[in-house]
Amino acid sequence: MTPEQAELWQKLKYFEMDDVKSSLPFSARLARGNGWTLDFALRAVDEYKKFLLLAATLPRPVTPSDEVDQVWHLHLLYTRSYRDELCGQILRKPLHHSPTRGGSTERSKFNDWYNYTLTSYQITFGHAPPKDIWPPAEIRFRLINFIKVNADTHFIIPKKHWWLLLKNQLKRLWRPRS
Amino acid sequence: MAPALVNFKMLSSLTPAESLVLLHGKEADFKRMLKLTLMDLLLKKVLAIKPIPAAGHDEAPTVNLYVQRGKHYADYRPFAHEEIYTGYFSREPNREILLANLIKLAHGKAANPAYLRQQVMKTPQLLTAFERGFWERLMDKVKYTEEGALKRTYAATELQELTHLLPDLYYMDKATAKKLLQLLHGNLFLTEAINHHLLVLLDDELSRLFERERTSDNNNDLLYMTDGFDFDSSFDNGFGGSSDDGDSGCGD
């Protein structure tokens, strides 16, 4: 970490997005909206702060993992915190969020940026990014089929579990009787 | 050891949560167990509080309280009922967390009064103090063994003595009071004879959490969005157009 990055990191580390007086603070909302545990949400927020450091100090654009991107999306809704406090007071410059415009060129560009982010993370923080929040590029850009579902009106069954159930049922049916 | 301290053999060998379960059995107060366990870990310097001037949310207090590893963290072997607090720091030595968030996490891990109580009853000090047969566990019954009843009597007598002794000591003999604190740690606050500022703070955090749980509903979101939105006149005079703009992508 350069001295400039170290100085900025101290500010980002204690940049608190949770309002302790709020009934639904940032991290709780993040956890609820994504079906995460609070512990995971807090870790994702920590990783978001690391991403911010990279975005603000590296010469090339960086790309977050989907988990970090979810933190970014939510933070963008907290306009005062994002624009005035983060960009205005801490980074002292704007940090724009640029979704893909689609197509193979864009895909390749973001893939390249993401790998650059992972490498820069390791160099800057001295350790590899945690895989559960920063998966490798092939997973990061493959598992992106998200939709918003109303949990009050729908059951959500993870496919992994569904296949396991089905597999076990089939095994039981085909097991030779003794 | 000062004469006042020799009498607290039982309490000094227990964590506050153990004391509460030993003294009150099934009626051990969940909130007090959570509060005094954290207080105990702070007093034992297993965890430490770090105040940081707030830089963040508009309506944040002037100082945010973070919890980090204390200087005795590495040497301390926490019990299961203490891991609800200490576990957060096991992965990364330099991890820090807002006090309010740590309490929330611990509350989630403790799950419910019965679960936390069962964790406490598994410690070496209490393992033989209660009947833990199949039916007792299934029906969540708390039945003292002979040894447990004796321990309970000792603990109750010591607590009575502490309650009688502490207010005078606190004001007239600070040195002995300090030794008592080092001996009993969080158990000192079982008496309610003194009120430490940190205890008040933890109490506030827990009360807020319990209150939130009691009154939570989905309408909070709507209130939040409408109350918090401010059509700042400088909305459009932002940061756009600067050549120094950070521009980062998300790729999906």
Side-chain angles (χ1 to χ4, degrees):
Chain A
M1 211 181 268
T2 65
E4 180 211 5
Q5 283 178 318
E7 192 188 332
L8 182 57
W9 177 237
Q10 277 310 303
K11 290 182 192 167
L12 281 170
K13 195 174 160 189
Y14 295 114
F15 169 59
E16 198 48 67
M17 290 182 270
D18 276 339
D19 175 3
V20 291
K21 288 179 190 163
S22 166
S23 324
L24 187 63
F26 184 88
S27 55
R29 180 186 290 266
L30 182 70
R32 197 183 68 174
N34 289 285
W36 295 343
T37 62
L38 180 61
D39 194 11
F40 189 85
L42 291 170
R43 286 181 57 225
V45 170
D46 284 347
E47 294 304 317
Y48 168 63
K49 289 178 182 176
K50 289 178 182 170
F51 167 74
L52 290 175
L53 180 86
L54 300 176
T57 57
L58 292 178
R60 285 178 54 195
V62 287
T63 286
S65 64
D66 184 71
E67 286 76 4
V68 172
D69 202 28
Q70 295 312 314
V71 187
W72 197 2
H73 290 177
L74 185 60
H75 196 201
L76 286 163
L77 294 183
Y78 289 66
T79 53
R80 264 195 223 122
S81 171
Y82 188 82
R83 197 195 70 161
D84 298 350
E85 290 159 7
L86 173 68
C87 297
Q89 293 168 25
I90 295 177
L91 303 180
R92 297 190 178 280
K93 63 180 179 182
L95 180 66
H96 295 297
H97 182 279
S98 310
T100 180
R101 282 172 288 177
S104 60
T105 317
E106 283 280 289
R107 204 162 34 242
S108 156
K109 181 181 85 177
F110 279 112
N111 198 71
D112 178 42
W113 285 5
Y114 186 66
N115 280 324
Y116 169 69
T117 310
L118 295 185
T119 313
S120 306
Y121 181 113
Q122 173 125 21
I123 294 166
T124 309
F125 296 103
H127 59 86
K131 283 211 169 85
D132 56 344
I133 297 184
W134 293 94
E138 60 272 20
I139 294 176
R140 184 329 178 187
F141 295 105
R142 185 160 50 87
L143 303 178
I144 51 169
N145 199 8
F146 297 106
I147 55 164
K148 196 174 173 182
V149 177
N150 186 346
D152 283 335
T153 55
H154 292 77
F155 291 115
I156 304 164
I157 306 167
K159 277 188 184 174
K160 200 164 62 176
H161 297 177
W162 172 251
W163 282 116
L164 270 176
L165 273 174
L166 192 68
K167 212 168 90 178
N168 287 339
Q169 287 301 323
L170 289 174
K171 256 189 193 170
R172 197 176 296 171
L173 280 174
W174 288 340
R175 192 188 301 154
R177 289 173 194 275
S178 55
Chain B
M1 199 179 274
L5 307 185
V6 291
N7 302 324
F8 299 107
K9 276 186 185 163
M10 180 53 65
L11 286 184
S12 63
S13 67
L14 299 171
T15 66
E18 286 174 319
S19 302
L20 285 167
V21 171
L22 183 62
L23 286 164
H24 305 291
K26 207 172 172 177
E27 303 306 313
D29 186 80
F30 185 45
K31 190 172 138 189
R32 278 189 91 198
M33 282 202 276
L34 289 172
K35 182 172 66 174
L36 294 187
T37 298
L38 179 55
M39 190 73 183
D40 192 52
L41 292 168
L42 290 168
L43 289 169
K44 286 175 179 164
K45 296 187 169 58
V46 175
L47 300 178
I49 283 191
K50 183 176 178 183
I52 298 284
H57 204 279
D58 274 356
E59 289 165 20
T62 50
V63 168
N64 278 329
L65 297 179
Y66 287 85
V67 182
Q68 61 182 11
R69 281 185 180 189
K71 65 177 178 182
H72 296 150
Y73 182 93
D75 312 319
Y76 192 75
R77 294 284 159 268
F79 294 117
H81 67 274
E82 294 175 313
E83 272 177 10
I84 59 171
Y85 290 110
T86 58
Y88 184 82
F89 304 94
S90 61
R91 231 183 312 188
E92 276 180 53
N94 299 323
R95 238 176 152 188
E96 291 171 11
I97 181 172
L98 264 184
L99 175 65
N101 282 338
L102 181 65
I103 291 174
K104 236 183 276 175
L105 280 177
H107 179 245
K109 283 183 194 167
N112 57 58
Y115 180 76
L116 183 63
R117 182 166 22 84
Q118 301 222 356
Q119 295 296 313
V120 175
M121 286 162 123
K122 283 181 196 162
T123 63
Q125 273 289 2
L126 297 194
L127 200 60
T128 50
F130 297 97
E131 304 276 4
R132 300 300 292 148
F134 175 76
W135 286 111
E136 281 82 9
R137 279 187 225 191
L138 188 73
M139 307 304 286
D140 191 30
K141 283 202 182 304
V142 174
K143 200 173 161 193
Y144 291 88
T145 59
E146 213 171 292
E147 184 191 333
L150 196 64
K151 279 185 172 180
R152 184 194 195 186
T153 310
Y154 285 144
T157 312
E158 287 181 16
L159 184 59
Q160 212 172 2
E161 198 172 331
L162 189 67
T163 311
H164 173 70
L165 189 75
L166 203 58
D168 287 346
L169 266 185
Y170 190 65
Y171 294 106
M172 291 155 70
D173 186 357
K174 294 262 184 215
T176 311
K178 197 176 166 188
K179 278 184 192 159
L180 207 54
L181 183 70
Q182 283 162 354
L183 182 75
L184 297 176
H185 303 288
N187 276 314
L188 201 69
F189 301 97
L190 288 170
T191 63
E192 294 179 6
I194 52 169
N195 219 355
H196 192 276
H197 71 279
L198 194 56
L199 203 64
V200 178
L201 188 86
L202 299 184
D203 201 46
D204 285 351
E205 287 296 348
L206 280 162
S207 299
R208 212 177 296 158
L209 189 68
F210 280 67
E211 181 61 17
R212 247 178 243 161
E213 255 189 8
R214 200 177 61 78
T215 58
S216 70
D217 59 58
N218 292 332
N219 295 333
N220 284 347
D221 280 6
L222 191 63
L223 284 172
Y224 190 87
M225 289 304 287
T226 48
D227 287 351
F229 194 67
D230 178 14
F231 289 94
D232 188 343
S233 57
S234 63
F235 193 77
D236 291 323
N237 306 330
F239 308 98
S242 158
S243 59
D244 205 21
D245 281 8
D247 193 354
S248 290
C250 64
D252 52 47

